[in-house]
């Protein structure tokens, strides 16, 4: 898909299709991307909280239901 329109001239459908194309391309190259150090730090902090019993994981289906209620 060749995008020659500026985003403000694109329909919602065209923008979604462009985003899908970009996402698909990024996913196909994901192996070459490294996360920033801050991302690892946050994951480590969260794991520590889970290990200490201060936080817990929530079922993904339940989390989606809560998000949709907001």
């Amino acid at each position: 898909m060749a995008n020659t329109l500026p985003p403000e001239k694109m329909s919602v459908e065209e923008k979604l299709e462009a985003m899908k194309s970009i996402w698909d391309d990024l996913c196909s190259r994901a192996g070459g991307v490294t996360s920033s150090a801050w991302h690892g730090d946050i994951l480590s902090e969260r794991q520590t909280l889970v290990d200490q019993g201060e936080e817990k994981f929530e079922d993904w289906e339940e989390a989606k239901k809560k998000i949709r209620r907001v």
Side-chain angles (χ1 to χ4, degrees), residues 3-35:
N3 179 10
T4 56
L5 290 175
E8 63 272 7
K9 301 245 184 213
M10 295 170 69
S11 68
V12 171
E13 291 80 12
E14 290 168 324
K15 289 176 184 178
L16 290 171
E17 185 59 38
M19 288 172 48
K20 181 185 179 309
S21 294
I22 291 168
W23 186 255
D24 289 345
D25 182 66
L26 287 170
C27 288
S28 72
R29 302 165 195 248
V33 177
T34 57
S35 294

Side-chain angles (χ1 to χ4, degrees), residues 15-70:
K15 289 176 184 178
L16 290 171
E17 185 59 38
M19 288 172 48
K20 181 185 179 309
S21 294
I22 291 168
W23 186 255
D24 289 345
D25 182 66
L26 287 170
C27 288
S28 72
R29 302 165 195 248
V33 177
T34 57
S35 294
S36 301
W38 66 264
H39 191 246
D41 295 341
I42 289 175
L43 290 174
S44 180
E45 289 172 21
R46 290 181 180 172
Q47 184 63 56
T48 298
L49 292 172
V50 169
D51 293 344
Q52 294 172 346
E54 296 177 34
E55 289 290 341
K56 63 180 177 134
F57 291 102
E58 187 165 358
D59 176 72
W60 180 233
E61 294 305 317
E62 288 300 315
K64 287 192 292 187
K65 287 177 188 174
K66 285 182 181 179
I67 291 168
R68 290 182 178 129
R69 283 192 293 248
V70 174

